[in-house]
Every structure is written in structure tokens, then in C-alpha cells.
DNA sequence: GCGGACTGCTTACCT
DNA sequence: ACAGGTAAGCAGTCCGCG
């Protein structure tokens, strides 16, 4: 017997059973000779039982036959810090565990069961302290794991992106009918477009037919030693499509360790491969958008390429792909396909460092990490920390608990009604990571809540709402947050001393970004009804303190003679006297920080020359809507129609111009003229369709709507015409001339001819509302924007 | 029978 | 499918009107 050493990257862990039904962990190690699978047959699945009488329960468990003549392979009492009377029960395989966990409640003295629903492979990664996507040195003997160590090698990941173009004869492509026409594979080494029609394009690889094309693509994916296969919406389109075509054409769909596995994740699919990590850049981008790390109104690759990489590209419509294929002139489709592959790869490269950092911290593979929601990330992190600290993990809530939890909500952050109108010399201050810093400062955690110490009930951790948190014992959550925060500050310090272009910098920067994501997700998780560490009181205490602290800032500012203009949760907008500026604002923040507990920090965000807040229709000033301009002339627009996708470009652009003119040039008269000009063009029927499109996401199935708004009506009509739209589709529609209600007039843009729009609607319901709310603050009325108004009469001739 | 007021549903935004 | 706070449009209904 010889031991063998392997160097590579730990890609994944999964499990199977051997012939005797013993579970076996499989580790997938990517080496320069391809992905190797190594076994670990010593590790066994287990869960915990909490007993009122250890002896009695242990005895009963040892004898207990939970079906098919199976017994637990070991039963041992264990010590846990947060619970007593704990017994660890291990099994031959996960299937046995699943049967046993449903039966043990009837055994004597069993009070509860714990950690019975943690996936075996994920459990293994935690227990062994393994970090996927990190470089490893592995010792194996006949395929069995002897040892595994992490090394300092600089990992490089072999990423290949794939994108399909399919036939779509006047309807959405259907995998069991319509063939794949071409497939692009892109990697660092370049791109190849595989197809089976003639082309002189140099990237084209021409095969005999679809079958040969797919076989060649799969063979190349294997020989390229692909570690990460990247797609754009491959979870719902490319990989399921490829799988179905393989079945149809009787091709073995082999990526190296077999084919595509589709799993349902709520209403969405996820497509996984064995060993190879499937990274769906579309899912990744949606996550980044959810946490506010990227802001995109549309997620199609053209928009993504333009907005994120400043590389505009031409869209080739499905109908054009079809036409081109039928006519045999496919060069432009090949180019389009290649560009899609390349931008998909670029997206993956952009976000990979952060994903790798998260994989290491969350000890889960790239496939899971890149599809995880923030709550799943927090929960995963807490489970890892519970294991490290020898705590027992709380159970997931039952559906009935969730319903109960959903009934009681808690108050959120404080939002001040702004002073409407135009203001000058505005300083913006905000708290750095307000929620986590409150949790750290006041030791907020589910188990420190309402501790029994008399002195904690009145001390510094008594919340403004009356709940209190222990001052003696560090909380589980607050302690974790404190560690994360300290680590992040340490990394940020290191970053200052490293060359920004170095590899080390990008790794560390990705790590601090990952830590920030985790830091900011804990508060929401505390108030999330499905969470294991749910504590409505704790979440409520966080916001109660947040209200107290921001009000403290505003009060102190007013004492100084500044005007508290506006405030939202963690930010304070102050009007400073003309003669003072940034220096004084910073000094004020420093003064406040002196009075705040340790981890909390008020930061100077910026000083703005001018800003506008507007009045609501029903009176009162609108919150969460403002525009600021700094001393360099940079405009910041927040909350206005301009930043919303469900307003037409013509309204948004006009609003932006009006804001610019008012804030930068200070010329309200000119702003009104701009609005009138837009209205005139609309009336004349000259506004192009693309400026009239309103985007709205269809969030449900059509039949689940109680109220049929314009976007639902437009979707309904489109479905009757055979279009495929479902939940999640972002629809673009235009209000046309035909119909009575607005819904009747709404049609998806693709069915609307240039010039067919309801000018009156766009004037009255788009331009005027978007613009008048700004100009009203400067003394204008609606009539001033319309022909015949007192202002317009000055301009309407000549 | 009509128009304004109001409500409920819906979406997208802010921190 | 992490939280709450908010604006605002549109559809549909209510309400008052001899």
C-alpha cells in the first residue's frame, strides 16, 4: 500500500453509500491533472437528543430498533455549554438518521432533538474545519483520505463560461422540440463558438450536427479541466436545456462526474454538477443587487455589460437568431454568442474573489455560497460558531411558530419629515454600521435578553423600550459581530499598506467586503420569522436604540444652532450656517463620538451646496425623496421617479434635467421651459417609443392577482399572443391610444408601433407629476407647464 | 348617472 | 423568502347629490 500526495483545491464534498449501506464522504480535489475524488469512510452522520434522564434514554436508544433491523452505531452523552442532558447519536448513513429522528420522541425521557436537519456534507465541512475553494495538500491511500491540510499556495481557478443559442420559431424555445444552434465556451485562453452551419468566423468550430456539437462541447469542458462552469441564468435555462437535449439526442451528458442535477429552490431551479462548481452569474448579480452592492434596473446582458463594464453590446433578438439560422448567415449570431460568453466570464471574474472569501468563512462550496440568501449565510456562520464554541444549535421553527412570529412585528428606524423646499450648505452625517454597532455596544443576543442579574435591568444595556441585555456575559451573536468587526478593521488597516493592483489586495479586499455583508445581515436575521436564532425583542431593541441615537444627534445639532433638515434611520442631514463647512461638521461628529459607546461611530458623509425636498400631494414633505448637489456639481438623486424603473424614460430624463437646472444652475424658469418642450414634443407625437416604455416586474402568476394593473393587463394580452412571461419577468409596456382605462391601453412594447402612444397620459400622468413636485417648491403651478398657462404664453410664440 | 373621496392592491424605493 | 418605513399609481367602490 502506498500513500499518495495530491496538491490542488478543495472544490466540493458530497456523499454516497457503499454496498453495505455505510455512508461515505467524497471529497473533490481539483488538481492540475483534473478533478480527483477521494473517500472518507470514517465520518458518520449524527444528531443530538436532549434527555431528562441520561441513563434511561441512553439505554433505550442503544436497544432501539428504528426499522429495517437498524440501530444507532453509537450513543454517547456529551457536554454542551448551553444545554444539559445531551446525547449524541450516530448512524450508519443519513437515511437511517432520517428514519430515527422521527421516532425517537417516543423513547423514555426524551425532551427534544437537535441538529437533525443539517445536511451531511455541510456538517462534515464544519466538523472537519474544511474550507472549499482553498488550496490543499491531501494524503490518500487507495483513494481513501489520510490527511488534508490547507496550504499557502496561491489558488487559481479554471473558469469556463458556457452560453447556448437555441431555435425559437415564433415562440419561446422548448427544449424537447427546438435544437441548440450554437454553444460558446469562454475561458482565460479565449472563446470558441461551436455550431453546425458554415461560417468563416475565426472563433467558430463547425461540427456535423447538434449531436456532434454537444458531444464536442462536453468533451472540451472535460479536457479543459474545468473547475467552475459559469452561466448566465444557467440554473433555469442553459443547463436544464442542455440536459433535455442530451436525453432527446441520446447523448451521455457527462461533465466529468456525470450530468446536470436540477433541484427546486422555492420557485426557482438550481442546476448542479458533481465536483465542478456551477456558478450562475445571474443569481450572483441578483444577490449583489439585493444587498445594494450593484444597482441595475435591468438584468439582461446588454444592460449589465454597458452599466458594469462600460462595454455596450448589440442585442440580437430571438427572432433574428432564428431568421439568421434559417437563412444560413450566422456570423453576427456567432459574434453575439461569443460576447455573451465573454461577458458572463467577466462577471464571474469580477465577483469570484468575494465568493471565494465567503466560501472560506461559511465553509461551503461555491455552488451553495453563490446561491445563498443573506439569512442562509448568517445561519451558516452561526452554526459554525456554535460548533466552535460547543453550543447546541437551536431548531428551525415549526410552520405554526412561523405564523405566530409573523403576527407580531416591531418598530423600525426613525424617519424625520424633512423641511420641504430648496436648502443650501447641507452636511450629511451617518452612523457607520449602525445596527451591528448597537448590537455590539449593548451586547444584544437572544440569550443575553432579560438575564436574571438585578443590576443589568437598569444598567447601560437597558433599551429605550424596556428590554435589557446582560452586562456580565458576552452574547453569542454580539460576540461574533465583535470578532467580525475587529477582523474587518484589521484587514482595512492592512489594505492601506498594500499595492492596490496586487493579488493580495484583491483577496483581502474581497474578504473585508464579505465580512461587511455578514456584519450587516445579523440584525435582519434576528427579526426574520424563519430563523433559528429568532428574537423579536432583540431586533426591536436594536431599532429602539437606533431611534434614540439618531435623535440624540439631531438634538445635539440643534443645540449647536444647526437646523435638523432630515433624518432616516442612521443618517442626519443638517443645514449649517453659511460661514461654516466640512471642518466644523467633522468636529461636530467627533464631539458626538465622544459621547457614544465604544463600537459606535458617527461619520461625516459629505457637504452639499444645495438640496431639494418636496411636498407630497396631500401636504407634508415626502420622506425618502431628495436631490443634492455637491460643490463639484455632482448630482445625487434619491427616491425620485428618476431612480425608479416603473417610470418612462421621458419622465425620468425630464425630471433629471429639471433637477440639474434647478440645483446646479439655479434657474427655475429654464427648468419649466424644459418641461414645456418635452410636453410639446409628446403632443406632436414625436417622442420615440423607447422613451415611453415603463418597466414593471411581474411578481406572481397572472391568475394570482386580485387587482389587474397595467403591467398585468399587458402581460395577459401578451400571453394570449403566445409570449412566455412568468413570475420574475421584467415587463416593458407602453400606454397606447386604444382602450378606455389605462390597463386597457397598456401593451408590451414589442407589440406597439412607433408613434402609437397616449400623449395625454404621458403628459398628465408622467411628465407633470414628475416635474411639478420640484417646480412647485419654486412657486410654479401645473398650469405654468401647459399651453395657455401664464408662463408658457411668454414662450409659445416664436 | 357622475365626479370626487377613499380604500385596497401593487410596486419599488430608502436605510 | 434578512428588517421596517414610505410614496405613489391605478382599479374599484363608496358617497352625496332632490
Amino acid at each position: 500500500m502506498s500513500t499518495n500526495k495530491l496538491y490542488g483545491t478543495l472544490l466540493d464534498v458530497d456523499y454516497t453509500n457503499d454496498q453495505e449501506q455505510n455512508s461515505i464522504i467524497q471529497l473533490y480535489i481539483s488538481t492540475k491533472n483534473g478533478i480527483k475524488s477521494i473517500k472518507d469512510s470514517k465520518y458518520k452522520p449524527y444528531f443530538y437528543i436532549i434527555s431528562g434522564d441520561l441513563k434511561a434514554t441512553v439505554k433505550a436508544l442503544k436497544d432501539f430498533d428504528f426499522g429495517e433491523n437498524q440501530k444507532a452505531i453509537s450513543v454517547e452523552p456529551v457536554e454542551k455549554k448551553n444545554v444539559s442532558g445531551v446525547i449524541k447519536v450516530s448512524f450508519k448513513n443519513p437515511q437511517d438518521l432520517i428514519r430515527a429522528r422521527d421516532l425517537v420522541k417516543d423513547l423514555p425521557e426524551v425532551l427534544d432533538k437537535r441538529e437533525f436537519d443539517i445536511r451531511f456534507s455541510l456538517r462534515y465541512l464544519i466538523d472537519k474545519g474544511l474550507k472549499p475553494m482553498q488550496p490543499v495538500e491531501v494524503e490518500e491511500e487507495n483513494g481513501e483520505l489520510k490527511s488534508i491540510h490547507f496550504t499557502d499556495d496561491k489558488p487559481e481557478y479554471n473558469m469556463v463560461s458556457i452560453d447556448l443559442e437555441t431555435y425559437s420559431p415564433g415562440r419561446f424555445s422548448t427544449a424537447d422540440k427546438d435544437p441548440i444552434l450554437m454553444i460558446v465556451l469562454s475561458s482565460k485562453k479565449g472563446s470558441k463558438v461551436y455550431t453546425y452551419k458554415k461560417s468563416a468566423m475565426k472563433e467558430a468550430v463547425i461540427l456535423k450536427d447538434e449531436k456532434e456539437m454537444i458531444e464536442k462541447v462536453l468533451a472540451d469542458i472535460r479536457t479543459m479541466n474545468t473547475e467552475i462552469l459559469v452561466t448566465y441564468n444557467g440554473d433555469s435555462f442553459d443547463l436544464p436545456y442542455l440536459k433535455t437535449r442530451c436525453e432527446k439526442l441520446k447523448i451521455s451528458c457527462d461533465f466529468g462526474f456525470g450530468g446536470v442535477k436540477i433541484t427546486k429552490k422555492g420557485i426557482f431551479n438550481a442546476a448542479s454538477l458533481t465536483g465542478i462548481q456551477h456558478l450562475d452569474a445571474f443569481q450572483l448579480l441578483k444577490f449583489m443587487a439585493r444587498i445594494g452592492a450593484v444597482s441595475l434596473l435591468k438584468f439582461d446582458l446588454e444592460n449589465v455589460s454597458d452599466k458594469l463594464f462600460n462595454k455596450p453590446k448589440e442585442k440580437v433578438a430571438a427572432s433574428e437568431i432564428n431568421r439568421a439560422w434559417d437563412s444560413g448567415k450566422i456570423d453576427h449570431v456567432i459574434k453575439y454568442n461569443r460576447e455573451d460568453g465573454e461577458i458572463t466570464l467577466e462577471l464571474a471574474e469580477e465577483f469570484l474573489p468575494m465568493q471565494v472569501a465567503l466560501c472560506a468563512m461559511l465553509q461551503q462550496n461555491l455552488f451553495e455560497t453563490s446561491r445563498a440568501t443573506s439569512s442562509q449565510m448568517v445561519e451558516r456562520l452561526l452554526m459554525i460558531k456554535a460548533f466552535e464554541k460547543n453550543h447546541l444549535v437551536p431548531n428551525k421553527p415549526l410552520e405554526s411558530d412561523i405564523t405566530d412570529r409573523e403576527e407580531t412585528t416591531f418598530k423600525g428606524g426613525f424617519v424625520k419629515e424633512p423641511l420641504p423646499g430648496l436648502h443650501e450648505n447641507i452636511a450629511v452625517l451617518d452612523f457607520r454600521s449602525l445596527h451591528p454597532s448597537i448590537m455590539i455596544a449593548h451586547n444584544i443576543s437572544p440569550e443575553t435578553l432579560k438575564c436574571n442579574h438585578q443590576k443589568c435591568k437598569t444598567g447601560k444595556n437597558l433599551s429605550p423600550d424596556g428590554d435589557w441585555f446582560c452586562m456580565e456575559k458576552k452574547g453569542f451573536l454580539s460576540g461574533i459581530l465583535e470578532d467580525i468587526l475587529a477582523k474587518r478593521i484589521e484587514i482595512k488597516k492592512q489594505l492601506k499598506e498594500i499595492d492596490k493592483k496586487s493579488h493580495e489586495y484583491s483577496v483581502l479586499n474581497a474578504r473585508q467586503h464579505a465580512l461587511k455583508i455578514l456584519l450587516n445581515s445579523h440584525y435582519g436575521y434576528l427579526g426574520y420569522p424563519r430563523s433559528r436564532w429568532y428574537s423579536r425583542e432583540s431586533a426591536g431593541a436594536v431599532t429602539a436604540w437606533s431611534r434614540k441615537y439618531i435623535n440624540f444627534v439631531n438634538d445635539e445639532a440643534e443645540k449647536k444652532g444647526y437646523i435638523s433638515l432630515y433624518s432616516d434611520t442612521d443618517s442626519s442631514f443638517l443645514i449649517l450656517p453659511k460661514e461654516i463647512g466640512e471642518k466644523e461638521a467633522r468636529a461636530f461628529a467627533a464631539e458626538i463620538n465622544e459621547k457614544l459607546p465604544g463600537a459606535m461611530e458617527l461619520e461625516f458623509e459629505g457637504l452639499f451646496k444645495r438640496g431639494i425636498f418636496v411636498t407630497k400631494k396631500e401636504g407634508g414633505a415626502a420622506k425618502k425623496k431628495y436631490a443634492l448637489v455637491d460643490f463639484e456639481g455632482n448630482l445625487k438623486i434619491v427616491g425620485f421617479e428618476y431612480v425608479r424603473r416603473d417610470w418612462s424614460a421621458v419622465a425620468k430624463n425630464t425630471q433629471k434635467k429639471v433637477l440639474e437646472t434647478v440645483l446646479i444652475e439655479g434657474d427655475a424658469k429654464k427648468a419649466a421651459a424644459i418641461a414645456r418642450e418635452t410636453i410639446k414634443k409628446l403632443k406632436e407625437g414625436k417622442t420615440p417609443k423607447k422613451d415611453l416604455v415603463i418597466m414593471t416586474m411581474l411578481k406572481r402568476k397572472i391568475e394570482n392577482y386580485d387587482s389587474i394593473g397595467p403591467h398585468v393587463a399587458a402581460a395577459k394580452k401578451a400571453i394570449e399572443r403566445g409570449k412566455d412571461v412568468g413570475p420574475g419577468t421584467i415587463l416593458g409596456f407602453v400606454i397606447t391610444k386604444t382602450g378606455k382605462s389605462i390597463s386597457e391601453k397598456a401593451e408590451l412594447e414589442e407589440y406597439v408601433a412607433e408613434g402609437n402612444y397616449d400623449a395625454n397620459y404621458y403628459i398628465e400622468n408622467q411628465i407633470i407629476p414628475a416635474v411639478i413636485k420640484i417646480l412647485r417648491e419654486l412657486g410654479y403651478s401645473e398650469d405654468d407647464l401647459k399651453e395657455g398657462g401664464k408662463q408658457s404664453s411668454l414662450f409659445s410664440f416664436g
Side-chain angles (χ1 to χ4, degrees), chain A residues 217 314 349 395:
Chain A
V217 165
E314 279 289 307
E349 280 165 349
N395 289 337

Side-chain angles (χ1 to χ4, degrees), chain A residues 406-691:
Chain A
E406 280 166 346
E407 276 168 21
T408 35
T409 52
F410 59 95
K411 260 174 100 174
F414 168 68
V415 189
K416 184 185 167 86
E417 184 176 320
L419 304 169
L422 207 54
H423 305 283
E424 308 236 317
N425 211 30
I426 302 164
V428 178
L429 305 175
D430 56 20
F431 280 100
R432 191 198 54 178
S433 305
L434 178 68
H435 293 146
S437 66
I438 288 174
M439 290 173 72
I440 295 168
H442 296 290
N443 202 28
I444 295 175
S445 189
E447 86 292 354
T448 54
L449 172 70
K450 292 184 192 148
C451 70
N452 289 321
H453 309 123
Q454 199 51 43
K455 63 176 229 188
C456 297
K457 295 182 186 174
T458 52
K460 71 173 182 80
N461 291 345
L462 172 65
S463 96
D465 272 6
D467 284 321
W468 70 91
F469 297 85
C470 191
M471 296 195 290
E472 307 266 302
K473 218 177 125 234
K474 179 144 301 167
F476 179 62
L477 258 77
S478 44
I480 290 168
L481 288 178
E482 199 172 329
D483 294 346
I484 299 177
L485 186 69
K487 210 180 279 173
R488 179 154 186 258
I489 290 170
E490 168 64 23
I491 292 173
K492 288 188 97 173
K493 211 167 103 194
Q494 288 176 35
L495 280 173
K496 284 190 180 149
E497 278 146 39
I498 313 177
D499 176 14
K500 283 198 171 182
K501 288 188 201 94
S502 68
H503 171 75
E504 201 190 354
Y505 187 95
S506 83
V507 170
L508 284 178
N509 194 38
R511 203 172 290 165
Q512 71 82 15
H513 195 174
L515 289 170
K516 183 182 178 181
I517 291 171
L518 296 175
L519 207 52
N520 289 335
S521 309
H522 280 72
Y523 146 72
Y525 178 81
L526 268 179
Y528 175 47
R530 311 188 92 90
S531 86
R532 290 178 188 257
W533 277 270
Y534 175 81
S535 171
R536 199 204 74 243
E537 293 94 328
S538 299
V542 174
T543 54
W545 261 300
S546 82
R547 294 190 294 274
K548 192 191 112 171
Y549 285 118
I550 199 65
N551 280 314
F552 171 69
V553 173
N554 293 336
D555 291 347
E556 291 295 300
E558 299 240 289
K559 279 187 206 162
K560 277 239 148 196
Y562 308 156
I563 298 166
S564 171
L565 167 63
Y566 173 61
S567 209
D568 186 352
T569 312
D570 61 355
S571 64
S572 174
F573 292 50
L574 303 171
I575 303 174
L576 304 182
K578 259 209 294 294
E579 63 283 1
I580 73 165
E582 177 169 344
K583 207 177 88 200
E584 289 84 351
R586 284 186 186 278
F588 173 69
E591 233 173 85
I592 296 285
N593 285 326
E594 288 291 305
K595 299 174 187 164
L596 293 172
M600 297 195 61
E601 197 187 334
L602 185 68
E603 288 182 314
F604 171 79
E605 238 276 311
L607 185 69
F608 297 87
K609 183 169 187 271
R610 221 175 255 154
I612 191 167
F613 287 84
V614 300
T615 312
K616 287 185 289 183
K617 262 213 175 100
E618 322 78 56
K623 300 168 176 179
K624 299 180 190 285
K625 266 187 177 47
Y626 57 86
L628 300 169
V629 62
D630 65 17
F631 288 89
E632 275 83 55
N634 300 306
L635 192 62
K636 186 180 174 185
I637 303 176
V638 179
F640 275 114
E641 287 71 11
Y642 174 70
V643 301
R644 297 179 61 104
R645 70 161 158 237
D646 55 353
W647 283 75
S648 61
V650 66
K652 299 204 299 180
N653 293 335
T654 310
Q655 185 180 55
K656 188 185 180 200
K657 278 187 217 153
V658 165
L659 282 169
E660 273 169 353
T661 314
V662 165
L663 289 171
I664 301 172
E665 299 179 39
D667 189 344
K669 207 167 148 190
K670 186 174 165 192
I674 289 167
R676 278 194 298 270
E677 185 52 39
T678 312
I679 289 171
K680 187 168 159 245
K681 230 180 127 185
L682 273 165
K683 266 190 193 160
E684 288 164 356
K686 288 182 187 162
T687 309
K689 185 173 80 177
K690 68 170 179 23
D691 290 342

Side-chain angles (χ1 to χ4, degrees), chain A residues 165-169 171-176 178-179 237 241 318 322:
Chain A
E165 303 304 336
T166 57
Y167 197 70
S168 55
R171 53 172 163 79
F172 201 79
S173 304
T174 315
D176 42 352
D178 307 316
F237 184 72
Y241 207 101
N322 231 55

Side-chain angles (χ1 to χ4, degrees), chain A residues 195-210:
Chain A
T195 187
Y196 46 99
K197 263 198 183 163
K198 221 168 62 190
S199 167
M201 301 287 276
K202 63 178 188 307
E203 64 266 46
V205 180
I206 316 293
L207 286 307
K208 197 180 86 202
D209 53 20
E210 187 192 9

Side-chain angles (χ1 to χ4, degrees), chain A residues 7-8 134-137 149-156 503 511:
Chain A
Y7 293 89
Q134 296 297 312
V136 285
E137 179 192 299
H149 298 288
F150 290 91
T151 70
D152 293 331
D153 293 343
K154 177 178 146 187
E156 278 189 40
H503 171 75
R511 203 172 290 165

